[in-house]
Amino acid sequence: MKLTVDIPRVTDDDRVIEAALKDAHIPSLMAALVHITGDAGIVRGEIRPASGFFIDAQGGITEAQQARVRALALEALKAYRDGKKLGAVPNAALVHEMVEFIAGREMRGDYSEFLEAELALAGEDAYAQPGLKALPAQDRAKFNVVIVGAGMSGLLAGIRLKEAGIPFTIVERHGDVGGTWHQNTYPGCRVDSPNHMYSYSFKPKDWPQHYSPQAVLKQYFADVADEFGLRGSIRFNTDVREMAWDDDRGVWSVVVEPRGGKRETLEANAVISAVGQLNRPKWPDLPGQDTFKGIAFHSTQWEHQHDLKGKRVLVIGTGASAFQFVPEVAKVAKEVVVFQRTAPWMCPVPEYHDDIPAGKHWLLNNVPYYAKWYRFAVFWRNAEGILDAAEADPSWNQTDVAISAQNDQVRQMFYEHIKSIVGDDPELLAKCTPNYPVAGKRILFDNGNWLRALKRDNVRVVTDPIKGIDATGIVTKSGERYDGDVLIYGTGFTASKFLWPMRVVGRGGRELEKHWNGDPRAYKGIAIPHFPNLFCMYGPNTNIVVNGSIIFFSECEMRYILSCIEQLIRGKHKAMDVKRDVHDRYNDVIDAGNARMAWGISKAPTWYRNEKGHVTQNWPFSLIRFWMETKTADPRDFAFTD
Ligand code: NAP
């Protein structure tokens, strides 16, 4: 796939340009102006963005400086519209300078390689493996892959394999593509990574909002499936029941079952599991749970046929899903009682529900290179996020609520946000203030919507633990009773049961579920010893907490998987099996990394740890580290069989 750099023309009049520039992200505009004018001095002057979590989105550039940049941009865009040619294409040294300009800091070595590749300014594809495509077409055509799942990762796998000329079949349980964005339809559902970053590197979109609603995300993935012609390769409404490795033939036998149809077996040289982590509902195990006579459903299986208008609604859970649907339900229900076990930390994000302003759309669509630099700026701002602040400082006097000076600083900032909205209600403020360090569990994004919903007259927050459920409602430990017409479980997912409930049988009849024994591990989250030619996407320890986008991770994983497939085909190998000691050493490093992070230290309940208390979900390091580690597969890490 050759990425294209669209170079738009400006055709609008001065008034339109001037109005649009009011919405400009100034650092991105300045970088774009270097392309438009050819004047590198624009990024070498005194107007420079600073970088950091606490700096505003304009990088601390003052209003007066912003006005100067807008005036310069107006003249440059008018001249471009009136026929002036773009400046010379910036050379590598200047691009590097511009990267440092946007990042607000010096960049060296791996970091600049990574960021300049992400930027893909000249249209290079940072995640393709050109070596695979260079292999003889007939060898590639003989290889065959089954991909499990047509969500974000599975579609990506299909796109990359198609590009590489490798036959594949995607097996998808649901009737459409989109994975989590197809499945979760609860009111208020939206992405909570910035959309200009939460998109494939090769498929930018002019998003309607900074954090777009579920329907927009679902459409994005549907459009991708159509554009890359994937639908014909997807078997919809079909479950993978089991898969078994045949060592003699070097194939996986994959047993699939179409809904209402007969089981059949597909054969593949390799299997890519792209099943996601967050799709199988986790139901609590509360006494009397099945005796409730009203309407009850899980957030991920929202029963839209029930009109909640005027209803008494009970909600269990205050995680990312409840956080989004409770404010919507509260607008129509007669009353909402929210049962909270652990208060979430929330990061103030004022633009969380905002439309992208018209001027910003104009800039993204009309100003040469602006969209590229804007994605890059958003990516950088979120690249390492508050990762440093999530790591413990052993020399700092740690408390129950903070693990480093920086962690404490972020805690105070988040606390001020909570106080600014519910500070006038000391009881609610106490309930809404978490008692564990920031990043001890998932941080939520908030523009005040959640806290304002909790303040409504028709909403109550109950922190008294649930004792049980009966025919009419919930009873708490203190004996208080809360009756309701509808009970909504916002209780999350069985995230740590990777690949479950598929039965996966590897070498020598080894079953994956037994092999993992409740503690899933993989090499780079992708390869599992004794399960040759099985590659996971969004596998163990590839979830990110406070930085980046999971699409970025999937792109890295797929690049690595392509490298594995390349080695299998090039060497005419039947199988590659990651070496146990390599896998174990890798996981020791991951464990040590997670043990230093807030989610590894905090005792707050979280899906980041499995039932054994082990962090099997999260990647504890920087994005750059994962990017470097997944550039290519090192053949020394694997045992090959022919
Ligand atoms: P979750 O974060 O696991 O939250 C589950 C909630 O249910 C928690 O508040 C939990 O309390 C509570 N709970 C579970 N069992 C309970 C019990 N027996 N009694 C009382 N309370 C109980 O699940 P989620 O909200 O569905 O989110 C899961 C993940 O999906 C998120 O972390 C995120 O990664 C992803 N997600 C993303 C988005 C987005 O991008 N917009 C939206 C939704 C979800 P404790 O906190 O005490 O465990």
Side-chain angles (χ1 to χ4, degrees):
M1 186 175 348
K2 182 80 181 142
L3 298 180
T4 52
V5 181
D6 289 334
I7 304 187
R9 297 264 4 134
V10 175
T11 53
D12 290 299
D13 63 27
D14 298 5
R15 212 173 27 86
V16 172
I17 303 173
E18 195 171 2
L21 287 169
K22 292 200 178 84
D23 292 325
H25 178 248
I26 297 296
S28 306
L29 181 62
M30 292 174 75
L33 282 173
V34 173
H35 295 269
I36 296 165
T37 63
D39 178 7
I42 291 168
V43 292
R44 290 176 182 156
E46 47 148 0
I47 306 179
R48 303 188 70 79
S51 168
F53 181 70
F54 293 100
I55 308 281
D56 68 63
Q58 297 286 23
I61 295 174
T62 66
E63 290 289 344
Q65 291 174 325
Q66 290 182 33
R68 276 163 54 198
V69 175
R70 287 192 184 98
L72 177 69
L74 179 60
E75 291 315 310
L77 288 169
K78 274 162 48 182
Y80 176 60
R81 178 198 59 199
D82 298 340
K84 191 161 185 268
K85 297 244 172 318
L86 291 181
V89 176
N91 61 24
L94 178 54
V95 169
H96 181 74
E97 239 186 282
M98 291 157 81
V99 162
E100 291 190 332
F101 170 81
I102 294 272
R105 58 170 256 198
E106 205 178 325
M107 294 281 173
R108 297 217 171 276
D110 295 347
Y111 233 127
S112 31
E113 186 196 341
F114 157 62
L115 291 171
E116 282 157 33
E118 247 299 313
L119 189 58
L121 213 48
E124 318 81 10
D125 188 340
Y127 298 97
Q129 293 288 10
L132 176 57
K133 263 210 299 210
L135 296 177
Q138 66 274 22
D139 292 354
R140 285 180 276 138
K142 273 193 277 175
F143 202 85
N144 157 37
V145 180
V146 165
I147 301 165
V148 190
M152 176 275 288
S153 299
L155 293 177
L156 172 67
I159 290 167
R160 291 298 187 189
L161 290 177
K162 189 164 185 176
E163 180 196 28
I166 296 192
F168 63 93
T169 302
I170 303 180
V171 184
E172 167 57 50
R173 173 188 301 151
H174 293 284
D176 204 350
V177 300
T180 193
W181 298 109
H182 170 71
Q183 194 177 328
N184 283 286
T185 59
Y186 60 77
C189 183
R190 65 174 63 235
V191 63
D192 64 5
S193 292
N195 248 157
H196 291 91
M197 180 177 79
Y198 190 86
S199 40
Y200 296 121
S201 62
F202 53 86
K203 192 71 198 133
K205 179 180 161 67
D206 186 12
W207 297 98
Q209 298 196 343
H210 305 276
Y211 302 86
S212 299
Q214 170 264 343
V216 175
L217 271 297
K218 182 169 150 63
Q219 192 59 47
Y220 173 76
F221 291 107
D223 291 346
V224 164
D226 290 335
E227 182 179 333
F228 291 91
L230 297 180
R231 287 189 193 268
S233 308
I234 305 175
R235 298 189 54 158
F236 288 109
N237 297 310
T238 302
D239 272 293
V240 172
R241 296 293 178 204
E242 59 179 78
M243 57 179 98
W245 172 251
D246 180 334
D247 227 356
D248 296 331
R249 296 170 55 230
V251 292
W252 280 98
S253 297
V254 183
V255 179
V256 300
E257 186 174 323
R259 187 159 313 141
K262 273 211 188 116
R263 288 189 175 199
E264 60 182 295
T265 302
L266 311 177
E267 290 200 333
N269 301 95
V271 171
I272 297 176
S273 163
V275 294
Q277 290 190 15
L278 302 164
N279 45 29
R280 291 170 310 278
K282 184 171 151 215
W283 299 88
D285 191 13
L286 293 162
Q289 202 167 296
D290 298 332
T291 62
F292 183 66
K293 291 271 185 277
I295 296 156
F297 55 83
H298 191 282
S299 63
T300 197
Q301 298 166 339
W302 199 272
E303 296 188 5
H304 290 276
Q305 70 272 31
H306 307 298
D307 184 0
L308 300 181
K309 197 165 166 216
K311 296 277 192 322
R312 296 166 307 157
V313 180
L314 309 171
V315 175
I316 304 180
T318 54
S321 301
F323 200 78
Q324 293 183 328
F325 72 71
V326 164
E328 298 306 310
V329 172
K331 285 179 195 164
V332 293
K334 181 173 173 213
E335 63 171 46
V336 180
V337 185
V338 181
F339 293 85
Q340 174 183 276
R341 197 165 61 178
T342 315
W345 277 115
M346 59 204 91
C347 177
V349 178
E351 71 277 19
Y352 189 33
H353 288 173
D354 292 353
D355 288 341
I356 305 255
K360 201 167 203 166
H361 282 297
W362 189 90
L363 293 160
L364 289 163
N365 291 320
N366 292 283
V367 176
Y369 295 96
Y370 179 85
K372 278 267 171 207
W373 286 104
Y374 182 68
R375 173 177 157 101
F376 176 73
V378 173
F379 186 91
W380 170 250
R381 193 171 161 78
N382 291 275
E384 301 316 354
I386 55 168
L387 191 66
D388 287 350
E391 184 168 351
D393 175 357
S395 67
W396 195 74
N397 194 10
Q398 297 183 20
T399 65
D400 285 348
V401 292
I403 53 171
S404 74
Q406 252 201 79
N407 186 257
D408 200 36
Q409 198 186 0
V410 176
R411 183 188 67 80
Q412 284 171 33
M413 176 191 163
F414 288 5
Y415 174 69
E416 288 305 322
H417 169 69
I418 299 171
K419 207 167 112 191
S420 70
I421 300 170
V422 297
D424 57 346
D425 180 343
E427 196 188 326
L428 189 57
L429 175 63
K431 284 179 178 174
C432 293
T433 305
N435 58 0
Y436 56 88
V438 167
K441 58 194 277 136
R442 194 172 199 264
I443 299 168
L444 306 178
F445 279 13
D446 185 50
N447 54 0
N449 194 43
W450 167 253
L451 294 166
R452 279 195 298 274
L454 300 189
K455 279 180 91 168
R456 291 174 68 112
D457 290 342
N458 66 336
V459 178
R460 269 181 297 169
V461 182
V462 174
T463 51
D464 189 16
I466 297 172
K467 184 172 163 216
I469 299 176
D470 61 20
T472 56
I474 291 179
V475 179
T476 59
K477 290 255 159 77
S478 67
E480 210 66 44
R481 144 170 298 285
Y482 300 86
D483 282 345
D485 308 307
V486 182
L487 170 53
I488 306 176
Y489 291 91
T491 46
F493 302 91
T494 54
S496 58
K497 292 182 118 181
F498 289 89
L499 276 72
W500 184 84
M502 292 185 294
R503 181 165 175 262
V504 182
V505 185
R507 276 204 157 127
R510 192 181 287 250
E511 284 203 32
L512 186 59
E513 206 180 340
K514 285 191 193 138
H515 172 75
W516 272 341
N517 190 22
D519 222 0
R521 330 260 40 214
Y523 181 54
K524 299 182 196 283
I526 297 170
I528 309 156
H530 313 293
F531 295 82
N533 300 13
L534 169 64
F535 306 108
C536 300
M537 300 180 77
Y538 202 13
N541 294 108
T542 59
N543 184 62
I544 37 165
V545 182
V546 289
N547 55 325
S549 127
I550 209 64
I551 297 186
F552 162 82
F553 264 66
S554 289
E555 293 211 49
C556 289
E557 288 150 12
M558 195 54 210
R559 177 178 58 168
Y560 184 89
I561 294 168
L562 292 177
S563 164
C564 292
I565 292 174
E566 179 185 338
Q567 294 181 41
L568 283 167
I569 297 176
R570 187 187 298 281
K572 304 199 186 312
H573 304 300
K574 264 200 262 184
M576 61 193 294
D577 193 355
V578 66
K579 292 175 182 165
R580 182 89 224 191
D581 58 330
V582 170
H583 165 277
D584 290 353
R585 273 200 306 277
Y586 171 86
N587 279 293
D588 287 346
V589 174
I590 293 287
D591 288 347
N594 275 318
R596 286 197 298 272
M597 304 309 284
W599 52 84
I601 294 168
S602 161
K603 297 289 170 279
T606 167
W607 64 269
Y608 293 159
R609 289 190 300 273
N610 64 25
E611 57 204 23
K612 300 194 169 175
H614 202 161
V615 180
T616 40
Q617 312 297 328
N618 294 346
W619 170 254
F621 306 118
S622 60
L623 295 192
I624 167 75
R625 186 154 168 180
F626 196 70
W627 193 83
M628 292 307 295
E629 291 208 5
T630 50
K631 273 180 96 171
T632 51
D634 185 339
R636 292 168 301 182
D637 294 344
F638 291 86
F640 289 87
T641 37
D642 298 332

